[in-house]
Amino acid sequence: MYTIVSIPGDGIGPEVVAGALDVLNAISKKHGFEIQVEEHPFGGASYDLHGSMLTDETLEACRNCDAVLLGAVGGPKWENLPHAEKPEAALLKIRRELGLFANLRPAKVYDALLDASTLKPDVVKGTDFVVFRELTGGIYFGQPRGYDENRGWNTMVYERHEVERIARIAFEAAQKRGNVKVTSIDKANVLEVSQFWRNIVHEVHKDFPEIELADMYVDNAAMQIVRNPKQFDVIVTSNLFGDILSDISGMITGSLGMLPSASIGTKHALYEPIHGSAPDIAGQNKANPIATIASVAMMFENSFCMPDVATEIYDAIEQALATGVRTADIAKPGEKSISTTGMTAAIVACLQ
Ligand code: IPM
Ligand code: MG
C-alpha cells in the first residue's frame, strides 16, 4: 500500500491534480494496487486558511508519505507579500526540508504534437532528453543575501557533496538510458563556483568510464537546445541554470502544459507539473492536465519502481493525443479544444 499526499495549491493546481488523481485511481484499480491519498493545504490556499503558505502539519504529512503530488502555487492575490512569505518561499522550503536535491525535468516530444512547437517539426522530432537540475543549493540558498537602497546581493555556493550527489544520479540515469551522453552545463569561463562544479563532475565521472561526458557553457547551451535539441540525452546543471534551461527545453515540446517533473532526495520525493498556477484560466476547466498526469507516471517510475506502469500512463497520453483531443494550450488556431476533465477522461479511457 502506498500513501500519497496531494497538495493541489492554487490557480489551476486543484483542477490538474484532480485529473492526475483520476488517472492514478484508474491505474490502481486496473492493477489492484492499494493507494491512499491524503489532501493538505499548500500555497495561497493555505495562507488564506492558516496564515502560512506551508504549515507544519502539511510539511509533516509530506515527510510521512511515500510520495507528494503538488499542483501549483501562487497568484496575484499573494504577489505583494514580503519576500519570505511569498508562495515561492514555501516551495523552496518544502524542497529544502524534504532534501529534494535532484529535480528531473524530461523534455520529450510527442509525435502527435510535432506542430505545436514554435520550432520546425524536423528540428524537434525525436527530442528526448532529461534535465537534472540541482535543487537545494547554489544561488537560491547561498548566504549572504539581501538588498538595501544601494546594493543587492546573492551568493552562489556549492559544497563538494552537493555536486557529487547530483552528478552521480545523472550518470546513473545515463546508464539506465543505455549509456547515453551526459552534458554538464556551467559557466566555468567566468565563475569559480562553476569551475569547482566542473572539477567535481569530472571526478565523479571516473566511476562511469563507459559514459561520455561533455562540458558546455550555459549561454551556448541555451542556444544549442533551440538549435538542435536532439544532441542532448542527460543534462546536469546547477539550480539557477537548470531553472532557466528547463523552461527553454519545455517550449521545444510545444507547451509547458505537457511537462512533468520529479524532485527527489534520499528519503522523499515530490512530483509536480513544470507549469505554474495560471490564474488567468483557473477554475474554468480549461487547463491541460497532461503535465500532472505524466508526473504520476514519474511517481510510478521513481518512487514505486514500476516503470511498466509509468509506460502504460505515457502510452495512454500518447494514444489520447493521437485521437486528436487537444486542450486549448496545444490546439491549433481555430481548432476545437477540450476541457481538463475531457482530456482526463480521454486518457483514462485509453488506460483500460
Ligand atoms: C520552478 C519555478 C520555481 C523555481 C519558482 C516558482 C520558485 O520557476 O520550479 O522552476 O525557480 O525553482
Ligand atoms: Mg522555473
Side-chain angles (χ1 to χ4, degrees):
M1 150 128 140
Y2 293 105
T3 55
I4 295 169
V5 162
S6 104
I7 44 175
D10 308 317
I12 59 172
E15 297 162 72
V16 292
V17 165
L21 292 179
D22 281 354
V23 169
L24 181 70
N25 287 330
I27 193 102
S28 305
K29 214 162 157 195
K30 179 174 171 191
H31 292 283
F33 308 140
E34 255 190 85
I35 296 208
Q36 192 185 321
V37 181
E38 217 181 90
E39 190 181 313
H40 287 268
F42 182 54
S46 169
Y47 191 85
D48 291 349
L49 277 175
H50 306 292
S52 160
M53 297 277 172
L54 173 62
T55 63
D56 292 345
E57 284 75 20
T58 295
L59 189 55
E60 210 35 45
C62 292
R63 279 211 177 91
N64 292 318
C65 65
D66 296 305
V68 181
L69 181 66
L70 172 101
V73 282
K77 193 171 167 192
W78 309 282
E79 231 164 50
N80 297 319
L81 288 172
H83 212 77
E85 282 175 43
K86 281 188 199 289
E88 285 81 358
L91 196 56
L92 298 191
K93 182 171 173 194
I94 205 168
R95 288 173 180 169
R96 183 82 164 189
E97 290 284 328
L98 298 180
L100 308 174
F101 66 85
N103 182 223
L104 284 63
R105 298 187 164 185
K108 186 172 185 312
V109 172
Y110 292 89
D111 277 346
L113 287 185
L114 271 180
D115 44 3
S117 177
T118 49
L119 299 179
K120 293 194 189 90
D122 59 310
V123 172
V124 297
K125 188 175 164 56
T127 295
D128 182 8
F129 66 86
V130 57
V131 178
F132 279 75
R133 166 188 176 192
E134 197 291 322
L135 201 63
T136 51
I139 198 163
Y140 272 56
F141 295 94
Q143 296 289 347
R145 59 194 300 155
Y147 66 90
D148 58 25
E149 256 163 58
N150 302 312
R151 236 161 58 95
W153 60 95
N154 282 94
T155 313
M156 188 151 159
V157 197
Y158 268 111
E159 304 287 340
R160 166 178 282 276
H161 77 275
E162 292 176 318
V163 186
E164 279 174 357
R165 63 188 178 184
I166 186 80
R168 189 162 294 282
I169 208 170
F171 284 121
E172 283 166 2
Q175 268 178 339
K176 272 194 217 135
R177 285 166 81 103
N179 288 342
V180 297
K181 179 175 75 175
V182 171
T183 307
S184 171
I185 295 175
D186 61 37
K187 188 72 186 175
N189 50 346
V190 178
L191 304 176
E192 286 79 357
V193 59
S194 274
Q195 184 61 54
F196 174 77
W197 172 282
R198 189 178 281 208
N199 295 347
I200 306 293
V201 171
H202 280 261
E203 269 180 46
V204 175
H205 181 221
K206 292 197 182 110
D207 292 342
F208 301 86
E210 67 287 7
I211 290 176
E212 180 188 344
L213 169 63
D215 298 298
M216 197 178 271
Y217 296 134
V218 63
D219 49 349
N220 181 32
M223 187 265 278
Q224 294 293 343
I225 288 172
V226 182
R227 192 184 69 86
N228 175 21
K230 274 175 283 210
Q231 68 184 288
F232 297 103
D233 291 305
V234 171
I235 286 177
V236 63
T237 192
S238 60
N239 205 341
L240 179 63
F241 297 161
D243 177 45
I244 299 165
L245 294 178
S246 61
D247 268 29
I248 301 179
S249 311
M251 269 322 283
I252 308 258
T253 65
S255 168
L256 283 184
M258 298 296 299
L259 293 173
S261 79
S263 301
I264 57 184
T266 43
K267 284 206 211 90
H268 305 288
L270 178 149
Y271 300 85
E272 63 175 312
I274 284 192
H275 60 71
S277 60
D280 54 320
I281 58 163
Q284 297 173 31
N285 199 16
K286 272 190 190 163
N288 185 349
I290 292 180
T292 318
I293 291 170
S295 299
V296 168
M298 292 191 84
M299 187 185 286
F300 275 100
E301 211 168 337
N302 293 286
S303 284
F304 307 156
C305 298
M306 296 192 222
D308 296 348
V309 176
T311 305
E312 269 182 66
I313 298 175
Y314 290 127
D315 288 349
I317 294 172
E318 186 113 47
Q319 281 167 31
L321 289 171
T323 67
V325 290
R326 299 285 183 270
T327 41
D329 60 315
I330 48 175
K332 285 191 215 126
E335 196 179 24
K336 194 170 166 287
S337 60
I338 192 172
S339 63
T340 311
T341 44
M343 179 60 95
T344 302
I347 293 170
V348 168
C350 293
L351 273 177
Q352 313 302 335

